[in-house]
Amino acid sequence: MIEFAVKLAEQRKSPEEREAVLAEPGFGQVFTEHMITIEWDTERGWHDAQLRPYGPLSLDPATKVFHYAQELFEGMKAYRQPDGSIVSFRPEANAARFNVSCRRMAMPELPEETFLEALRLLVDADRDWVPTREGHSLYLRPFIIATETGMGVNYPSQKYLFCVIASPSGAYFSGAIKPVSVWLSTEYTRAAPGGTGFAKCGGNYAAAFVAQQEAVAQGCDQVVWLDAAEHRWVEEMGGMNLFFVYGSGADARIITPPATGTILPGITRDSILRLAPDLGIKVSEEPISVEQWRDDVASGALTEVFACGTAAVITPVGQVKGADGQFTISEEGGQTTLRLREELVGIQYGNRPDPYQWITTLA
């Protein structure tokens, strides 16, 4: 495995300054004192791995990432446990998905053990930034960018930079268990078969902003993406996966649209598919149309809807709006949604057993 050079920051925030930030950290607004960088080129492969002080990157204006958007990222969290240790939730899955995205974007894969060691070094160096308050965490953002200089578009970059930065974070949505409202986007498309929908690349998010702006203009919190061909089949909510709950209590069952290449295969999504059956909740991956969504809410068959992802964990969906009207699912989080959220958060923060070995100690 590649060896990391370590250079610690000379200037660090005082405990008082740090605690003031951790009291209300927001999301992705303040960053810790260190970062990880590793370079790659066609001659040397991965090299010059460093833990170094957080700071700006110096890039030529002709660097390929600026012009051809060859880049991608991951997102995960570090949680402080009751015994004081610091862990992450399924980082091995993030490492594997990172390389899946790299293959799609014609970028070099990073050995998974190097990916994990980068997380460990950064979290250990900045462990004082991991919040102690449940519901708060240290958000980790690994990313890779093309750094070759030149305008040639007939081949992928021959140089890359891998980085990891960290940011203390609070709840992604204000009042995390308050249902969000969503807008059904029929004018814009997030992904199409054969595209990059399953890869965690920034272009997917850049193309989504205009639809998110439309959702906000319609008084909604988030946009729901539909399929590219018919604008009928439900895919994702913003950058999160969607689940639909039928029935309640012991009879509850959940379905989620299948990950067929246009949907990001979320790690939280996969965790719910594995966790729910052990809680007695039947699960399946099935397509669901807007018409079925509306009709099943009207009949009472569909009782809850929730979205899931690393940042927000599990968030209920309460109201749906679209060009053809609107309907309400629930004014509060449903029983099944809250049960799954409590179980998942309990595992992440060390308050529930972890029979799946999802927790990996970082520091």
Side-chain angles (χ1 to χ4, degrees):
M1 185 169 65
I2 190 170
E3 292 188 8
F4 287 81
V6 174
K7 182 180 180 182
L8 298 178
E10 295 180 1
Q11 299 293 325
R12 306 190 73 166
K13 290 190 182 295
S14 69
E16 294 75 19
E17 291 174 319
R18 190 168 54 248
E19 287 306 313
V21 172
L22 293 178
E24 294 293 339
F27 183 83
Q29 298 175 7
V30 179
F31 297 89
T32 66
E33 284 99 351
H34 296 92
M35 64 182 184
I36 293 286
T37 59
I38 315 176
E39 296 185 37
W40 185 95
D41 61 38
T42 52
E43 293 182 0
R44 291 171 289 178
W46 291 107
H47 64 279
D48 197 16
Q50 299 183 47
L51 169 76
R52 56 191 267 200
Y54 181 93
L57 301 173
S58 180
L59 296 172
D60 190 284
T63 302
K64 282 196 171 183
V65 66
F66 297 141
H67 303 276
Y68 305 124
Q70 202 183 7
E71 63 78 51
L72 56 91
F73 65 94
E74 271 297 328
M76 65 202 74
K77 293 178 178 179
Y79 309 89
R80 194 174 292 277
Q81 302 292 280
D83 65 1
S85 64
I86 300 167
V87 308
S88 188
F89 182 76
R90 303 187 65 189
E92 299 86 357
N94 290 97
R97 188 174 67 180
F98 183 84
N99 282 335
V100 170
S101 297
C102 283
R103 288 194 290 273
R104 177 60 182 87
M105 301 299 289
M107 304 173 85
E109 296 180 40
L110 181 70
E112 292 183 14
E113 62 271 20
T114 302
F115 184 100
L116 296 172
E117 182 62 16
L119 302 182
R120 291 190 183 97
L121 282 172
L122 182 58
V123 169
D124 188 52
D126 290 336
R127 61 186 304 143
D128 291 340
W129 282 99
V130 182
T132 57
R133 180 178 170 185
E134 187 165 313
H136 290 204
S137 57
L138 184 67
Y139 185 80
L140 303 173
R141 171 55 63 87
F143 64 95
I144 182 172
I145 61 173
T147 54
E148 183 182 8
T149 300
M151 297 294 186
V153 73
N154 58 326
Y155 61 89
S157 176
Q158 305 298 290
K159 295 181 179 180
Y160 297 89
L161 180 68
F162 171 79
C163 297
V164 188
I165 56 178
S167 174
S169 67
Y172 188 70
F173 292 114
S174 177
I177 61 172
K178 180 181 177 181
V180 297
S181 57
V182 298
W183 172 257
L184 301 173
S185 179
T186 54
E187 183 175 354
Y188 302 104
T189 298
R190 177 189 175 274
T196 60
F198 67 92
K200 204 165 175 65
C201 59
N204 292 343
Y205 294 79
F209 289 144
V210 65
Q212 177 62 26
Q213 286 180 320
E214 181 183 52
V216 172
Q218 295 294 333
C220 295
D221 300 302
Q222 286 285 318
V223 61
V224 165
W225 296 106
L226 307 177
D227 72 291
E230 300 179 73
H231 292 292
R232 176 190 176 197
W233 300 98
V234 178
E235 294 202 333
E236 291 187 356
M237 184 192 87
M240 303 173 67
N241 298 118
L242 280 167
F243 279 84
F244 300 82
V245 183
Y246 285 81
S248 60
D251 296 324
R253 64 182 180 91
I254 60 176
I255 68 171
T256 188
T260 56
T262 57
I263 293 175
L264 183 72
I267 292 165
T268 308
R269 173 187 183 274
D270 180 70
S271 302
I272 291 169
L273 289 174
R274 295 172 62 182
L275 174 64
D278 290 343
L279 298 179
I281 304 168
K282 296 179 180 179
V283 301
S284 61
E285 297 179 75
E286 303 174 23
I288 182 168
S289 67
V290 172
E291 297 90 343
Q292 180 183 346
W293 187 353
R294 181 185 296 110
D295 292 347
D296 288 350
V297 168
S299 70
L302 179 58
T303 54
E304 306 169 40
V305 178
F306 64 85
C308 68
T310 296
V313 190
I314 292 177
T315 297
V317 176
Q319 188 178 49
V320 182
K321 295 183 181 180
D324 297 330
Q326 64 184 61
F327 57 93
T328 298
I329 304 158
S330 174
E331 297 295 340
E332 58 185 19
Q335 180 184 29
T336 301
T337 299
L338 296 180
R339 184 184 180 198
L340 286 165
R341 179 186 172 85
E342 289 171 2
E343 192 70 27
L344 201 57
V345 170
I347 293 173
Q348 292 171 340
Y349 285 92
N351 300 319
R352 299 283 175 92
D354 174 28
Y356 312 98
Q357 297 183 323
W358 283 342
I359 297 301
T360 296
T361 301
L362 298 181

